[in-house]
């Protein structure tokens, strides 16, 4: 008896994971990396720039970027700005903004778990959040300021609502309508369109079609009321902004001139983007091929096909919108976990353990090279990639990384045999790898990606009193970063006001081929991030030469 008790004490986490084990693992994975680094380029910097503008200007109705109108759905920015205001005493704005992503991501994982409970039962449901969080594409966006995460949450909530329609029709319709309306406020119409055919499909398959059709009609009216509140306020106070927003929505729906090519690219992306959900979904389809007409398979199958087509046609083959393909694929993959044959399950388990153990070892070796200079060849490569970086030992970061590594070793030794062992190890290994990147590598990554030093250098080159700065070739992420770090705002060089500015900031070379120097401008500064050595990657600041009467390039 004592031997049995001792064995039970060290047998590891139960599988399927119970509530608290699952919650702790997912919260650790999601919350790691939301803080501790500056805004980076692309969506992260743009979103933080919009939230910064919203907080400083106080104009919550019409989001803008560095003083320029930025017609976009506002729901993510509202929650992010609320987080930044509530936590301004504790965190800088960019870190508090990313906490909104953490909130939406955790909600999405909760809703996909509830939807899986309805479709596949409580015993298999824990696989759903593990598969969603463990998808490679999900990792790319879950830790950045990303409005598409709010849309992903709306989709998972809508699927949960639809799976309840037969059992609890009123509650299911209410959740579906709420998700549809808030999803529109999070990312506009195009991202929510795939849910409408899925709702029609669910109603068509039900034995109570007429009742469910009326309930869903009511939920659509409720969704319109939610979205219409913001649109009505714009109509009254900012009709120009409303017109720009609606025009952008219509343009997006018809902007993709090659929809079949976009769908093909999404299909080619899915094997790695949705790994390991994609192969498990394929296995579930094969293993359950005689059950395709049942709701647990038919609904996610139809939802995936519709989402694939409509995302490809209306949004395009980009990484962030591809997040919307994950929920139906995950719901389809859940029965594949339990039905996986023992040999395949063991192979997947060993693949995950070996892969992440090797990645953890490489992460530690790379950290040693950056901090201690060994191995020397790898240390020289790290400095070559990010010139000027000097690594420093952090006892807190190293301690957390060591603790995570020890927990990983304990987990792979003690986990009991279970069909869910492979996906549990995959998710735990991904969490370890991300924890090591954040605790050991983040200073090196942040050094190469931030625009903080570039913005500070540019601010020193500019006089305190200046009329305006014209900008050319500046991406939204650069505009957002300069405004966020040092309050440097530019106006379009081709605009009437921009042609009168005495300062000109260009990223790379003018697209029309004209030379600022030939147009009567004198270069006074250039700069870029450490790895940006080519002129095409750097920022160039020019001052109008009064003696030559310079004009903006392209004038």
């Amino acid at each position: 008896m004592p031997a049995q008790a001792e064995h039970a004490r060290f047998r590891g986490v139960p599988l399927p994971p119970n509530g608290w084990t699952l919650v702790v693992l997912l919260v650790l994975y999601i919350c790691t990396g939301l803080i501790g680094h500056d805004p980076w380029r692309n969506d992260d910097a743009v979103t933080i720039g919009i939230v910064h503008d919203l907080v400083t200007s106080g104009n919550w109705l019409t989001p803008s970027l560095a003083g320029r109108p930025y017609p976009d759905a506002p729901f993510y920015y509202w929650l992010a700005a609320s987080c930044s205001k509530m936590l301004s005493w504790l965190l800088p704005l960019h870190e508090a903004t990313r906490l909104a992503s953490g909130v939406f991501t955790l909600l999405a994982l909760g809703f996909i778990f509830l939807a899986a409970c309805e479709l596949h039962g409580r015993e298999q449901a824990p696989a759903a959040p593990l598969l969603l969080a463990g998808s490679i594409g999900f990792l790319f966006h879950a830790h950045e300021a990303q409005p598409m995460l709010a849309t992903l949450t709306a989709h998972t909530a809508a699927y949960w609502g639809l799976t309840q329609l037969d059992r609890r029709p009123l509650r299911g319709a209410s959740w579906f309508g709420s998700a549809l309306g808030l999803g529109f406020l999070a990312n506009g119409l195009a991202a929510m369109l795939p849910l409408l055919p899925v709702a029609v499909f669910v109603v068509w398959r039900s034995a109570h079609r007429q009742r469910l059709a009326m309930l869903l009609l009511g939920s659509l009216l409720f969704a319109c009321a939610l979205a219409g509140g913001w649109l009505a306020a714009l109509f009254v106070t900012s009709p120009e902004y409303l017109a720009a927003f609606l025009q952008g929505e219509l343009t997006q729906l018809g902007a993709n001139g090659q929809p079949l090519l976009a769908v093909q690219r999404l299909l080619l992306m899915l094997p790695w983007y949705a790994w390991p959900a994609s192969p498990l979904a394929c296995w579930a389809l094969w293993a359950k091929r005689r059950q395709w007409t049942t709701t647990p398979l038919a609904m996610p199958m139809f939802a995936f096909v519709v989402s694939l087509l409509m995302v490809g046609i209306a949004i395009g083959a980009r990484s962030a919108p591809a997040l919307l393909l994950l929920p139906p694929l995950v719901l389809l993959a859940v029965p594949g976990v339990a039905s996986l044959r023992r040999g395949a399950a063991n192979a997947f388990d060993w693949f995950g353990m070996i892969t992440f153990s090797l990645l953890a070892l490489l992460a530690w070796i790379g950290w040693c090279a950056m901090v201690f200079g060994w191995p020397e060849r790898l240390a020289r490569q790290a400095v070559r990639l990010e010139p000027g970086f000097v690594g420093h030992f952090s006892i807190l970061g190293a301690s957390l990384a060591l603790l995570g590594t020890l927990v990983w070793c304990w987990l792979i030794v003690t986990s009991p045999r279970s069909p869910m062992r492979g996906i549990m190890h995959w998710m735990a290994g991904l969490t370890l790898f991300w924890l090591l990147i954040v605790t050991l590598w983040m200073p090196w990554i942040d050094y190469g990606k931030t625009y903080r030093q570039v913005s500070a250098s540019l601010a020193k080159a500019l006089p305190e009193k200046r009329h305006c700065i014209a900008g050319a070739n500046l991406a939204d992420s650069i505009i957002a970063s300069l405004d966020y770090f040092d309050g440097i705002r530019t106006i379009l060089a081709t605009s009437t006001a921009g042609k009168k500015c005495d300062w000109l900031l260009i990223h790379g070379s003018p697209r029309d081929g004209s030379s600022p120097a030939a147009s009567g401008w004198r270069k006074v500064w250039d700069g870029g991030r450490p790895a940006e050595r080519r002129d095409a990657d750097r920022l160039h600041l020019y001052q109008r030469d009064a003696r030559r009467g310079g004009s903006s390039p392209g004038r």
Side-chain angles (χ1 to χ4, degrees), residues 155-452:
H155 273 238
T156 54
Y159 287 128
W160 181 45
L162 291 176
T163 58
Q164 298 181 78
L165 282 179
D166 276 332
R167 194 165 60 89
R168 295 174 177 172
L170 183 59
R171 191 173 79 168
S174 300
W175 274 104
F176 179 76
S178 301
L180 207 61
L182 294 177
F184 176 87
L185 289 177
N187 223 300
L189 179 61
M192 304 309 295
L193 284 179
L195 294 174
L196 299 180
V198 180
V200 173
F201 179 77
V202 171
V203 171
W204 175 74
R205 285 178 53 87
S206 174
H208 309 287
R209 295 179 188 175
Q210 186 173 359
R211 182 188 178 193
L212 293 187
M214 294 301 296
L215 284 174
L216 281 181
L217 180 60
S219 71
L220 290 177
L221 294 176
F222 180 66
C224 291
L226 281 177
W230 176 63
L231 297 176
L234 286 181
F235 179 78
V236 174
T237 61
S238 304
E240 300 86 1
Y241 191 97
L242 174 62
F245 172 77
L246 295 178
Q247 182 60 44
E249 291 292 296
L250 293 175
T251 301
Q252 184 181 37
L253 291 175
N256 192 353
Q258 297 179 309
L260 294 181
L261 180 61
V263 172
Q264 180 183 3
R265 288 176 177 172
L266 285 172
L267 285 173
L268 293 175
M269 183 194 305
L270 282 177
W272 66 264
Y273 187 93
W275 178 275
S278 51
L280 287 170
C282 292
W283 168 250
L285 286 176
W286 172 254
K288 308 284 185 179
R289 54 189 178 277
R290 293 194 177 101
Q291 303 175 28
W292 283 15
T293 58
T294 62
T295 298
L297 292 180
M299 178 192 161
M301 283 172 58
F302 183 81
F304 173 74
V305 172
V306 168
S307 298
L308 176 68
L309 293 175
M310 301 194 76
V311 168
I313 293 171
I315 304 178
R318 293 182 286 113
S319 180
L323 286 171
L324 304 182
L325 304 181
L326 294 179
L329 199 61
V330 164
L331 292 175
L332 192 57
V334 167
V337 175
S339 62
L340 203 60
R341 293 175 179 172
R342 180 176 296 180
N346 289 336
F348 174 58
D349 188 20
W350 277 102
F351 174 73
M353 288 190 292
I354 293 173
T355 297
F356 288 110
S357 296
L358 288 175
L359 288 175
L361 179 62
L362 293 175
W364 277 107
I365 294 173
W367 174 75
C368 289
M370 290 185 286
V371 175
F372 301 113
W374 180 89
E376 294 184 6
R377 185 174 180 181
L378 191 58
R380 289 195 300 269
Q381 182 72 0
V383 174
R384 187 186 71 82
L385 292 174
E386 301 296 349
F389 174 77
V390 178
H392 298 283
F393 178 80
S394 168
I395 188 169
L396 177 61
S399 299
L400 291 174
L402 180 60
L403 177 62
T405 305
L406 292 176
V407 171
W408 165 251
C409 294
W410 169 79
L411 182 66
I412 62 177
V413 170
T414 62
S415 294
R417 293 188 179 277
S418 167
M420 210 166 288
R421 174 172 163 149
I423 186 59
M424 182 67 179
H425 281 168
W426 178 271
M427 184 60 215
L430 190 64
T431 302
L432 169 70
F433 176 66
W434 181 241
L435 177 68
L436 295 180
I437 292 298
V438 170
T439 54
L440 302 180
W441 284 55
M442 189 59 76
W444 182 79
I445 298 172
D446 194 37
Y447 176 81
K449 286 184 172 290
T450 181
Y451 266 90
R452 184 181 293 273

Side-chain angles (χ1 to χ4, degrees), residues 35 44 52 101 137 144 172 186 214 232 235 291 302 308 310 390 404 416 450 481 502 543-544:
I35 63 175
D44 189 62
H52 169 66
S101 292
E144 65 179 1
M214 294 301 296
F235 179 78
Q291 303 175 28
F302 183 81
L308 176 68
M310 301 194 76
V390 178
T450 181
S481 297
D502 293 329
Q543 184 178 15
R544 189 187 299 275

